[in-house]
């Protein structure tokens, strides 16, 4: 049998962008606003739109496509798993799922007794962590100002942004937000009734703000003292994005003896499946691993063989191709290249690995995104005054240079639109 059959179930993508945008507006819910482009195809770090225009994808589906588009290894793993066994439910075990759990325990340096729960998204991974926290018998949770943990009701309760939360209150209670990076404030908020502290090692949606050195260690020390869980949300920062398997493993978060900070729970999604939806909550140590007993949590698709095969292929490619070290090189190239431009609209370049933001002098990031698209680059306005770059980890230094070379013109275009508009 042919592995790939011709199908008439999929629409032909002819007709041009406007045709598809009209149909989109009349059929797809408006919760994401108007799409910037209609995309039809991708290869490596490149994508093409419905009008045939090519873009260098420096956002990677919001820090998801770590291997870029149409990676041969991921494509082969997913198609061959689907052709073998696609979905079985959690009444049954499958080899790809078991192997992915083992691999995640290995790269997270998990102690004996650790276990992995699988789901399909970041919000769901954090819901699982939230339920683990409740199973401690305590109800109070401390999270951070500008923290983002997803849009379902529980994950939303952990998320800080008032515009996201207020229309949906009441949310699950007991969550307090403290200033990010302030160990003193964290120490004052955590007490004997605190079930968990939930933090991102780099606040992604909050504007690409790395935790200061020592902060995660302080959070570990504070939570240990009060018997609370330390949950690190690595949905955006994990799976190599920050030049280590997990951002909390970076040297600036190690203790005085060089030992990495050890959380109780790590939540993952985004990059884990290389573009296929996979989420996970790694419970480190016997105590955390036992919080959710048989029947206390679940999801139909969680850990299905296709998603698991995608996760295995993604982790394998990162290892085989030395992408963790590669991320550091490309990051340095981008950061130093942008700084060397000394462009008057750039206030700073911040971030870790390939999770970067170009801080702008003025709130013109949306105009810079539009100008970037006009010149063939996909970026993201993570804040009104910050342009986020979260490219595929396979981006080469030469491809990074293409963006650095185009950036002055992009910023000049954006400044012109911004001035005209204000
Ligand atoms: C994206 C993100 C989430 C939510 O993930 P979804 O897959 O969109 O539900 C949670 N936490 C962080 C840190 C994220 O960046």
């Amino acid at each position: 049998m042919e592995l790939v059959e011709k199908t008439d179930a999929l629409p032909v993508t002819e007709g041009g962008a406007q045709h598809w945008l009209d149909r989109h507006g009349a059929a797809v819910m408006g919760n994401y606003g108007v799409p910037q482009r209609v995309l039809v195809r991708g290869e490596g770090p490149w994508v093409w739109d419905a009008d045939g225009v090519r873009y260098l994808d420096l956002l990677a589906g919001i820090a998801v496509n770590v291997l870029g588009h149409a990676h041969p290894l991921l494509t082969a793993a997913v198609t061959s798993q689907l052709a073998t066994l696609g979905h079985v439910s959690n009444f049954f075990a499958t080899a790809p799922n078991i192997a992915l759990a083992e691999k995640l325990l290995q790269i997270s340096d998990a102690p004996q007794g650790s276990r992995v729960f699988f789901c399909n998204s970041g919000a769901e991974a954090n819901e699982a962590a939230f339920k683990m926290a409740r199973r401690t018998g305590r109800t109070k949770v401390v999270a951070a100002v500008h923290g983002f943990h997803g849009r379902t009701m529980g994950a939303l309760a952990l998320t800080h942004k008032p515009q996201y939360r207020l229309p949906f209150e009441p949310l699950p209670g007991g969550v307090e937000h403290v200033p990010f990076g302030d160990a003193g404030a964290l120490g004052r908020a955590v007490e004997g009734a605190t079930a968990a502290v939930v933090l991102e090692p780099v606040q992604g949606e909050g504007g690409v703000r790395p935790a200061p050195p020592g902060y995660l260690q302080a959070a570990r020390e504070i939570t240990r003292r009060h018997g609370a869980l330390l949950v690190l949300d690595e949905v955006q920062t994990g799976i190599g994005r920050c030049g280590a398997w997990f951002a909390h493993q970076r040297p600036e978060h190690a203790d005085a003896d060089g030992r990495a900070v050890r959380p109780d729970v790590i939540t993952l999604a985004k990059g884990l499946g290389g573009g296929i939806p996979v989420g996970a909550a790694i419970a480190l140590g016997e105590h955390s691993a036992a919080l959710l007993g048989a029947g206390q949590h679940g999801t139909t698709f969680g850990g299905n063989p296709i998603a698991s095969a995608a996760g295995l292929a993604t982790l394998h490619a990162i290892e085989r191709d030395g992408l963790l070290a590669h991320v550091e090189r490309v990051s340095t190239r981008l950061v130093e290249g942008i700084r060397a431009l000394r462009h008057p609209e750039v206030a700073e370049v911040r971030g870790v690995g390939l999770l970067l933001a170009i801080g702008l002098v003025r709130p013109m990031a949306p105009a810079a995104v539009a100008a970037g698209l006009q010149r063939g680059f996909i970026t993201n306005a993570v804040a009104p005054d910050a342009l986020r770059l979260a490219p595929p980890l396979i981006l080469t230094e030469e491809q990074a240079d293409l963006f650095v070379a185009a950036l002055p013109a992009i910023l000049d275009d954006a400044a012109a639109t911004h001035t005209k508009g204000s």
Side-chain angles (χ1 to χ4, degrees), residues 121-123 126 148-150 200 233 235-236 270:
S121 69
N126 288 323
F148 181 86
H149 303 289
E200 296 158 86
D233 179 345
V235 168
Q236 186 154 168
K270 290 201 166 88

Side-chain angles (χ1 to χ4, degrees), residues 21-364:
L21 285 175
D22 292 344
R23 284 173 63 176
H24 179 278
V28 180
M29 199 174 282
N31 56 308
Y32 299 112
V34 179
Q36 297 171 333
R37 294 288 190 276
V38 179
L39 300 179
V40 295
R41 177 167 85 79
E43 195 184 314
W46 304 99
V47 291
W48 284 261
D49 74 10
D51 294 328
V53 179
R54 187 180 79 157
Y55 303 85
L56 186 61
D57 182 2
L58 300 174
L59 187 59
I62 317 187
V64 166
N65 303 312
V66 291
L67 305 180
H69 299 271
H71 192 281
L73 203 82
L74 183 59
T75 306
V78 168
T79 48
S80 86
Q81 185 59 49
L82 178 59
T84 306
L85 185 67
H87 176 80
V88 297
S89 91
N90 289 302
F91 291 126
F92 304 95
T94 66
N97 187 239
I98 296 162
L100 180 59
E102 289 170 349
K103 189 71 194 167
L104 288 174
L105 292 177
Q106 182 217 320
I107 64 176
S108 61
D109 198 19
Q112 274 297 322
S114 305
R115 299 287 187 271
V116 185
F117 166 78
F118 288 102
C119 52
N120 316 285
S121 69
E124 279 180 282
N126 288 323
E127 291 289 340
F130 203 162
K131 286 180 76 172
M132 287 180 200
R134 286 290 177 91
R135 289 291 300 148
T136 62
R138 307 176 181 186
T139 54
K140 198 179 148 178
V141 176
V142 179
V145 172
H146 301 311
F148 181 86
H149 303 289
R151 308 287 205 125
T152 57
M153 296 300 255
L156 193 54
L158 302 171
T159 293
H160 173 256
K161 201 172 183 170
Q163 300 97 293
Y164 292 170
R165 301 163 50 88
L166 293 178
F168 303 102
E169 290 189 334
L171 298 168
V175 183
E176 181 187 352
H177 293 94
V178 296
F180 182 66
D182 181 343
L186 190 63
R188 287 188 294 279
V190 177
E191 28 116 351
T194 305
V197 169
V198 183
L199 297 169
E200 296 158 86
V202 181
Q203 290 191 322
E205 300 308 303
V208 186
R209 302 271 174 196
Y215 181 61
L216 298 183
Q217 282 293 343
R220 175 69 285 180
E221 163 58 27
I222 292 163
T223 46
R224 185 175 290 130
R225 195 166 352 119
H226 294 280
L229 300 174
L230 177 62
V231 178
L232 293 183
D233 179 345
E234 293 249 19
V235 168
Q236 186 154 168
T237 52
I239 314 300
R241 170 121 332 255
C242 295
W245 281 118
F246 304 105
H248 73 266
Q249 296 172 333
R250 290 182 56 93
E252 64 266 28
H253 300 306
D255 69 11
D257 301 323
R259 280 185 306 244
V261 62
R262 176 167 289 167
D264 300 299
V265 182
I266 303 168
T267 58
L268 297 173
K270 290 201 166 88
L272 178 54
I276 298 294
V278 199
I282 308 176
L284 298 164
E286 273 170 30
H287 172 71
S288 318
L291 287 168
L292 293 175
Q296 287 184 328
H297 197 45
T299 173
T300 301
F301 290 112
N304 91 58
I306 300 168
S308 299
L312 282 171
T314 302
L315 298 177
H316 178 71
I318 291 172
E319 215 156 43
R320 183 196 68 181
D321 299 339
L323 292 181
L324 299 182
H326 176 78
V327 162
E328 287 295 287
R329 280 193 298 274
V330 180
S331 175
T332 303
R333 185 82 158 220
L334 273 170
V335 171
E336 287 180 358
I338 297 166
R339 283 184 184 148
L341 295 173
R342 299 181 175 282
H343 195 280
E345 296 293 346
V346 176
E348 63 166 347
V349 187
R350 59 176 184 258
V352 183
L354 287 177
L355 180 56
L356 298 171
I358 304 171
L360 302 175
V361 171
R362 298 188 280 172
M364 59 171 214

